[in-house]
Amino acid sequence: MKNKFKYIILLLVLFLFPIIGNAKESNKVTLYLFHGDGCPHCAEEIEFLNEIEGKYDNLEIVKYEVWYNDENATLLEKVKEGFDEKRNGVPTTVIGDTIILGYGSGTGSKIERAIKHYSEEEYTDYVS
């Protein structure tokens, strides 16, 4: 009887393990940074992103330099049109349906909140 009980427990563990493992997975989140080469605020954000990149296994960071690359500048304009964003400037950060213009004292926490939100909620990549 004890062996039968052990086999039942073992089977339950084997069946439940994949369910528990999948519950901990996070959505892949892509962060797009549109920046200008030589922009001090962009450099600050890039430094911040480099610091947090290893913190989120599901985070992909894609950078587009827009001051010296016309294709990237055109892409930024299309993205801003899609968000109905009229303001100009860099850095411009896009995560899901969140767009953040500029970089200052509270921007890092906004970025991390968006990453955490889209890690747990449905994520749509509006840039790609």
Side-chain angles (χ1 to χ4, degrees):
M1 184 71 172
K2 286 184 181 180
N3 283 339
K4 188 176 183 181
F5 183 72
K6 287 180 184 178
Y7 287 119
I8 291 172
I9 296 296
L10 179 62
L11 286 173
L12 283 173
V13 169
L14 290 175
F15 283 116
L16 291 176
F17 185 73
I19 295 169
I20 294 168
N22 287 339
K24 294 181 181 178
E25 287 184 24
S26 296
N27 296 328
K28 178 185 170 213
V29 175
T30 305
L31 178 150
Y32 295 92
L33 173 64
F34 297 90
H35 65 95
D37 188 24
C39 164
H41 299 291
C42 299
E44 286 180 56
E45 183 167 343
I46 289 170
E47 184 178 323
F48 168 76
L49 294 176
N50 289 339
E51 290 173 11
I52 68 162
E53 192 169 18
K55 186 175 176 180
Y56 302 97
D57 294 337
N58 62 322
L59 178 63
E60 176 185 13
I61 299 173
V62 179
K63 298 174 190 153
Y64 292 103
E65 198 294 320
V66 297
W67 284 358
Y68 301 103
N69 186 307
D70 292 337
E71 287 179 31
N72 292 346
T74 300
L75 175 60
L76 174 58
E77 290 307 313
K78 288 180 183 178
V79 168
K80 288 184 355 185
E81 284 175 19
F83 281 93
D84 197 29
E85 179 58 61
K86 307 276 189 260
R87 296 175 292 166
N88 289 321
V90 290
T92 298
T93 307
V94 179
I95 310 165
D97 65 358
T98 301
I99 186 167
I100 301 168
L101 276 74
Y103 187 82
S105 61
T107 308
S109 61
K110 287 181 188 177
I111 291 170
E112 288 205 77
R113 275 195 308 274
I115 293 167
K116 290 173 185 174
H117 171 77
Y118 290 114
S119 294
E120 299 168 1
E121 301 297 325
E122 190 169 323
Y123 172 79
T124 302
D125 188 337
Y126 287 97
V127 175
S128 70

